[in-house]
């Protein structure tokens, strides 16, 4: 990127009239000193999340991409990292447990890239950023390179020196305060962007402190407290709890910044998006996630607030909060399609989000519309969702 001095020099040495030069210089200085970044074009209107549980074979990916294309979606958020395991051949992390930590005989990411290209669909690689493992059973000893086994010091620790315990049906997290953790996740994203040029963007999820564990004051290991003291001058979090909370929030923001800068070094045209907590206030206070700041600073090109709600009035109110905080930057509203027993609720929420100024919507998830279990019978609810919410074809 060029500096303000470079741009100013170009303006001053140009053949433009003096009054126009002055106007351009004022605009440049206003952008820099406002702390805001110019908005980038984000060509997303209707997106869908495809989870790592939605496919097992190459044929599954071909079929799901055909379904998505015919249904009128323009963007696919395809999950390729769950919890320090990945769904493509990586030099950095092992194969996912969904494939028994073994090469399945095909490359899911390569397959979906091919299908996206031939169907003219936007493809974003969906990355779970801080999760390090899921469930109560640790990774098997046959995967010594998995971070739970290889980098135990990267995880969250309590004041008593205990690592965040494994828990049923949820994640344990890496410590976003550590530069090496940020570097590792950034390398994963770089590996994807350099190895798969058809990937249009990186979609960051779980880029926050996780909800489970908020009752514990994570992270409280000695090294984290030393970093806090070096940055703030306070000897411990107890000396100034507001500063402690602000500092942890800043560590998440720093992680986003590092990942984005590295991604843009790898590919200048890459779009950076993030799945974020449902409202800015809840995100800010509960999981230390300052996503409006990410937008203004240009660390993220668009946010996907996970507005997962069964109620329409509360949904509408929270969408309004998001739009006010976004201040005109792109918002793609995330819909909990899977939660709605009545597809009319999903439709009403989709229409409300667009009327309130959202650039687009994203449905969670693929399995809300199509059956992903070959041994199960397709539900009537899936059929009725498709009938009400999806057009018969795609307008090209």
């Amino acid at each position: 990127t060029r500096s303000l001095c470079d741009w100013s020099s170009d303006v001053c040495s140009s053949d433009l009239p003096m009054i126009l030069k002055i106007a351009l210089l004022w605009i440049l200085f206003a952008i820099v000193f406002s702390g805001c970044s110019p908005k980038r074009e984000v060509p997303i209107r209707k997106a869908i999340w495809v989870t790592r549980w939605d496919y097992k074979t190459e044929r599954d990916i071909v079929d799901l991409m055909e379904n998505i294309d015919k249904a009128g979606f323009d963007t696919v958020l395809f999950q390729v990292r769950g919890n320090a395991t990945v769904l493509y051949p990586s030099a950095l992390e092992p194969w996912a447990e969904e494939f028994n930590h073994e090469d399945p005989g095909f490359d899911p990411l390569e397959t979906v890239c091919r299908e996206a290209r031939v169907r003219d669909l936007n493809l974003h690689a969906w990355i779970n950023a801080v999760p390090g493992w899921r469930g109560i059973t640790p990774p098997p000893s046959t995967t010594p390179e998995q971070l739970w086994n290889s980098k135990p010091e990267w995880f969250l620790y309590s004041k008593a020196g205990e690592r965040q315990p494994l828990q049923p049906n949820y994640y344990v997290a890496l410590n976003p305060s550590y530069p090496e953790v940020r570097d590792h996740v950034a390398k994963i994203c770089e590996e994807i962007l350099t190895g798969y040029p058809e990937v249009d963007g990186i979609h960051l999820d779980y880029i926050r402190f996780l909800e489970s564990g908020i009752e514990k004051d994570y992270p409280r290991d000695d090294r984290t407290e030393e970093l806090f003291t070096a940055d703030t001058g306070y000897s411990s979090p107890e000396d100034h709890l507001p500063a402690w909370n602000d500092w942890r929030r800043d560590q998440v923001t720093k992680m986003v910044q590092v990942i984005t800068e590295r991604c843009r070094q790898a590919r200048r045209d890459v779009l950076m998006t993030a799945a974020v907590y449902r409202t800015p206030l809840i995100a800010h206070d509960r999981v230390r996630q300052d996503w409006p700041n990410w937008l203004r600073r240009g660390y993220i090109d668009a946010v996907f607030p996970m507005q997962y709600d069964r109620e329409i009035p509360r949904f509408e109110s929270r969408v309004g909060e998001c739009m006010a905080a976004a201040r005109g930057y792109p918002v793609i509203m995330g819909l909990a399609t899977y939660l709605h027993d009545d597809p009319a609720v999903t439709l009403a929420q989709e229409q409300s989000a667009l009327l309130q100024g959202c650039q687009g919507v994203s449905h969670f998830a693929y399995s809300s519309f199509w059956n992903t279990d070959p041994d199960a019978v397709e539900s009537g609810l899936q059929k009725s969702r498709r009938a009400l919410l999806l057009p018969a074809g795609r307008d090209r």
Side-chain angles (χ1 to χ4, degrees):
T1 57
R2 308 186 71 207
S3 69
L4 175 63
C5 293
D6 294 331
W7 288 109
S8 300
S9 177
D10 288 349
V11 171
C12 292
S13 62
S14 69
D15 295 329
L16 295 170
M18 181 57 69
I19 190 170
L20 186 53
K21 291 181 182 180
I22 293 171
L24 288 172
L25 287 172
W26 270 110
I27 292 171
L28 285 171
F29 278 96
I31 290 172
V32 171
F33 291 108
S34 69
C36 295
S37 173
K39 304 177 185 68
R40 299 181 71 191
E41 176 62 26
V42 180
I44 302 174
R45 299 296 180 270
K46 192 165 188 174
I48 189 166
W49 280 284
V50 175
T51 77
R52 61 192 188 274
W53 299 293
D54 288 337
Y55 59 91
K56 289 292 185 185
T57 68
E58 186 172 6
R59 183 72 244 177
D60 290 341
I61 296 173
V62 173
D63 290 343
L64 70 82
M65 291 295 279
E66 182 177 2
N67 289 336
I68 288 169
D69 183 33
K70 289 181 177 179
F73 292 95
D74 57 54
T75 302
V76 180
L77 310 169
F78 189 82
Q79 190 170 38
V80 295
R81 184 181 194 261
N83 37 234
T85 59
V86 294
L87 297 110
Y88 67 94
S90 170
L92 299 168
E93 291 189 338
W95 278 98
E97 56 274 27
E98 287 74 26
F99 291 125
N100 298 316
H101 304 289
E102 297 175 351
D103 187 332
F106 75 104
D107 182 346
L109 186 49
E110 180 184 45
T111 302
V112 77
C113 283
R114 181 192 70 220
E115 295 302 311
R117 183 175 63 252
V118 300
R119 301 175 191 286
D120 195 25
L121 290 167
N122 301 321
L123 178 65
H124 291 224
W126 167 13
I127 307 292
N128 281 357
V130 303
W133 190 244
R134 180 187 176 97
I136 59 174
T137 304
S141 58
T142 53
T143 58
E145 70 275 30
Q146 208 283 334
L147 296 182
W148 178 267
N149 295 325
S150 65
K151 297 291 183 182
E153 69 276 12
W154 285 8
F155 286 75
L156 299 181
Y157 282 81
S158 69
K159 183 69 173 175
E162 298 169 337
R163 180 157 49 158
Q164 183 187 18
L166 295 169
Q167 51 194 324
N169 301 316
Y170 203 59
Y171 299 106
V172 289
L174 305 175
N175 186 346
S177 310
Y178 286 176
E180 57 267 36
V181 168
R182 302 167 189 159
D183 177 69
H184 178 78
V185 179
K187 284 180 177 177
I188 293 287
C189 297
E190 287 176 307
E191 182 179 58
I192 291 168
L193 292 174
T194 56
Y196 302 87
E198 296 90 350
V199 169
D200 300 296
I202 295 293
H203 182 68
L204 298 174
D205 196 3
Y206 287 98
I207 186 76
R208 61 182 193 254
F209 282 97
L210 303 187
E211 309 91 320
S212 184
I214 289 296
E215 67 279 2
K216 291 271 191 181
D217 192 21
Y218 291 119
R220 289 299 302 271
D221 57 283
D222 291 343
R223 185 180 172 208
T224 297
E225 292 201 18
E226 289 170 1
L227 292 169
F228 167 71
T229 299
D231 286 345
T232 67
Y234 294 107
S235 59
S236 75
E238 284 78 14
D239 288 351
H240 200 287
L241 289 178
W244 170 237
N245 290 331
D246 288 344
W247 183 82
R248 285 186 290 176
R249 199 173 295 113
D250 289 343
Q251 303 317 295
V252 177
T253 295
K254 183 66 174 177
M255 187 172 187
V256 176
Q257 179 186 3
V258 168
I259 292 171
T260 293
E261 288 177 350
R262 297 271 290 279
C263 286
R264 288 178 178 160
Q265 288 169 8
R267 285 251 308 274
R268 292 185 63 184
D269 64 336
V270 66
L271 286 174
M272 301 298 299
T273 65
V276 297
Y277 232 59
R278 61 181 68 92
T279 72
L281 181 60
I282 296 174
H284 184 275
D285 293 345
R286 187 175 181 189
V287 294
R288 322 298 177 202
Q289 187 184 66
D290 189 9
W291 59 256
N293 187 37
W294 304 351
L295 283 171
R296 289 192 290 275
R297 292 184 176 274
Y299 301 157
I300 291 295
D301 297 310
V303 291
F304 288 61
M306 297 175 290
Q307 210 58 258
Y308 298 172
D309 205 320
R310 289 184 172 89
E311 299 180 15
I312 295 175
R314 185 170 58 192
F315 173 90
E316 293 179 337
S317 175
R318 288 175 169 173
V319 168
E321 293 179 50
C322 292
M323 298 309 296
R327 299 183 187 178
Y329 285 88
V331 174
I332 317 297
M333 195 56 60
L335 306 176
T337 309
Y338 75 102
L339 279 179
H340 304 150
D341 293 332
D342 182 357
V345 173
T346 312
L347 181 61
Q349 291 187 355
E350 180 178 288
Q351 292 172 340
S352 174
L354 296 174
L355 284 172
Q356 291 193 63
C358 293
Q359 178 176 294
V361 297
S362 186
H363 289 269
F364 191 88
Y366 177 82
S367 59
S368 300
F369 295 104
W370 292 280
N371 184 28
T372 60
D373 182 354
D375 298 323
V377 177
E378 182 178 62
S379 72
L381 183 54
Q382 288 170 321
K383 294 178 182 178
S384 60
R385 284 173 180 153
R386 294 201 301 270
L388 184 63
L389 299 167
L390 305 180
R394 188 173 177 204
D395 182 14
R396 292 185 180 275

